[in-house]
């Protein structure tokens, strides 16, 4: 194999050059693990996806997701963007498909539903592959050092800073206002210390900061930093948004709620993104988390190997 085709898309965006960049290798057959990691490092996007035939023919494809430094079990914008790319094809590995695609991933099966405008694929929604899991709390001083803000600017009325996941773990902290969020800047040395204290083997400490807009409390502004993974800042993080939505729904006093949440991210980077969430909670437990967004195709090309 001398070369391989790729497609890039901007995910969680309605216009080009916004949202989160993603490279998709629609047919990754023949690539080794080492080559996949090298390709992800070459693109230097937050993630690159590699599409392979499914192990179970009942599913659409097996999807592997790489950051510039490691393979990860699940992520939001790579699934939305991969569904968008495959949805524009007539088949996937010779098999026709409908508007629901099923991806085999390390975190489990990810179901993606295509979104259409006048019959044209415009984006996708995905269901989180795992239920909400809540891990260790993190002291405000640690979060403040990581984000170069003061501990007093971290709000703890709803929840203390905490690690949570619906397939990929993040540390979550609410900050006092938009000005504090805009001023946050990652401190790599503090991240390395937090990683030693709070991350499990095979994971890296990543921090998702958010604040609520005063007049619309279910419209959140957010930023995500993961400098240990060579992602200084991510313009849209579906997996983190989904986990945060599940966490906030779990803390609602009602045992049965259905919440629509908008997460606006990437504004400070000049790559505004909109992630639409629906979280369903019944009998006191979060039962499903759906993440949706639009996509725009950017480039198609041929990668020499």
């Amino acid at each position: 194999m001398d070369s391989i085709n790729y497609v890039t898309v901007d995910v969680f965006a309605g216009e080009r050059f916004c949202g989160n960049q993603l490279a998709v290798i629609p047919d990754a057959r023949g690539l080794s693990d080492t080559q996949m990691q090298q390709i992800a490092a070459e693109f230097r996007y937050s993630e690159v996806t590699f599409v392979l035939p499914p192990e179970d023919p009942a599913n659409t494809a097996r999807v592997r997701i790489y950051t510039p430094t490691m393979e990860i079990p699940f992520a939001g914008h790579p699934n939305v963007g991969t569904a968008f790319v495959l949805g524009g094809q007539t088949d996937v590995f010779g098999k026709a498909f409908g508007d629901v695609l099923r991806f085999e991933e390390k975190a489990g099966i990810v179901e993606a539903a295509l979104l259409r405008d006048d019959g044209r694929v415009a984006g996708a929604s995905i269901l989180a592959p795992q239920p909400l899991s809540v891990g260790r709390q993190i002291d405000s001083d640690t979060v403040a050092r990581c984000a170069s803000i003061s501990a007093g600017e971290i709000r703890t009325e709803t929840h203390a800073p905490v690690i949570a996941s619906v397939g990929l773990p993040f540390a979550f902290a609410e900050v006092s206002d938009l000005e504090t969020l805009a001023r946050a800047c990652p401190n790599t040395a503090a991240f390395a210390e937090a990683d030693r204290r709070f991350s499990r083997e095979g994971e890296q400490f990543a921090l998702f900061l958010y604040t609520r807009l005063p007049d619309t409390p279910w419209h959140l502004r957010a930023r995500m930093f993961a400098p240990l993974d060579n992602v200084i800042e991510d313009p849209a993080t579906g997996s983190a948004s989904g986990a945060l939505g599940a966490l906030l729904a779990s803390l609602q006093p009602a045992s049965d709620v259905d919440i629509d949440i908008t997460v606006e991210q990437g504004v400070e980077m000049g790559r505004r993104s909109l992630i639409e969430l629906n979280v369903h909670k019944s009998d006191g437990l979060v039962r499903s988390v759906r993440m949706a967004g639009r996509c725009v195709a950017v480039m198609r090309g041929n990668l020499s190997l």
Side-chain angles (χ1 to χ4, degrees), residues 4-304:
I4 198 162
N5 294 328
Y6 70 87
V7 181
T8 75
V9 293
D10 289 338
V11 184
F12 293 125
E15 57 182 308
R16 199 166 282 113
F17 311 128
C18 293
N20 202 348
Q21 299 155 298
L22 175 73
V24 180
I25 311 300
D27 185 352
R29 287 177 291 184
L31 290 178
S32 68
D33 293 1
T34 298
Q35 287 175 312
M36 291 182 191
Q37 186 64 78
Q38 289 172 333
I39 291 169
E42 182 72 17
F43 273 105
R44 293 189 62 81
Y45 292 169
S46 55
E47 284 101 6
V48 177
T49 60
F50 299 86
V51 184
L52 297 159
E55 295 179 352
D56 181 347
N59 299 321
T60 308
R62 182 161 63 100
V63 177
R64 299 181 67 179
I65 306 171
Y66 281 82
T67 75
T69 65
M70 64 189 294
E71 185 175 10
I72 58 175
F74 167 72
H77 100 278
N79 276 290
V80 170
T82 300
F84 171 78
V85 169
L86 297 184
Q89 301 179 176
T90 57
D91 63 79
V92 180
F93 301 116
K95 182 180 177 181
F97 57 90
D99 275 355
V100 176
L101 293 76
R102 287 171 55 86
F103 297 150
E104 299 170 353
E105 299 182 12
K106 289 183 177 294
I109 299 297
V110 176
E111 184 180 284
L114 299 178
L115 306 178
R116 295 183 182 272
D117 284 344
D118 298 323
R120 179 182 59 85
V121 177
S125 69
I126 62 170
L127 281 171
Q130 295 179 4
L132 171 68
S133 64
V134 179
R136 298 176 60 186
Q137 289 191 358
I138 304 166
D139 58 282
S140 293
D141 286 338
T142 293
V143 172
R145 287 194 296 272
C146 286
S148 305
I149 59 178
S150 71
E153 293 173 307
I154 297 168
R155 298 190 63 177
T156 58
E157 296 91 340
T158 303
H159 64 86
V162 67
I163 294 173
S165 172
V166 290
L168 189 67
F170 293 86
F172 294 95
E174 182 178 2
V175 299
S176 54
D177 50 37
L178 287 172
E179 189 276 331
T180 301
L181 186 70
R183 188 164 29 85
C185 181
N187 179 327
T188 302
F191 268 82
E193 176 60 26
D195 186 65
R196 286 190 290 271
R197 292 176 57 199
F198 295 102
S199 295
R200 298 182 300 185
E201 185 176 355
E203 298 174 354
Q204 288 181 331
F205 189 84
L207 178 60
F208 195 84
L209 300 179
Y210 74 97
T211 190
R212 297 172 185 259
L213 298 191
D215 298 329
T216 51
W218 290 115
H219 186 129
L220 313 179
R221 274 276 296 275
R223 300 178 71 184
M224 198 287 279
F225 304 116
L228 302 182
D229 203 19
N230 284 349
V231 180
I232 301 302
E233 182 169 358
D234 197 31
T237 318
S239 52
S241 297
L244 176 60
L247 174 67
L248 295 177
S250 75
L251 297 172
Q252 291 292 297
S255 61
D256 299 281
V257 292
D258 201 69
I259 305 173
D260 292 319
I261 304 170
T262 297
V263 178
E264 186 179 8
Q265 192 179 337
V267 174
E268 292 78 10
M269 302 175 66
R271 297 193 66 92
R272 181 174 180 263
S273 309
L274 287 176
I275 303 168
E276 302 295 341
L277 306 175
N278 176 265
V279 185
H280 177 70
K281 175 185 173 185
S282 63
D283 296 326
L285 295 176
V286 174
R287 304 293 180 177
S288 68
V289 181
R290 184 172 289 277
M291 298 148 264
R294 302 174 67 84
C295 302
V296 184
V298 180
M299 293 186 288
R300 293 180 179 271
N302 191 264
L303 187 67
S304 299

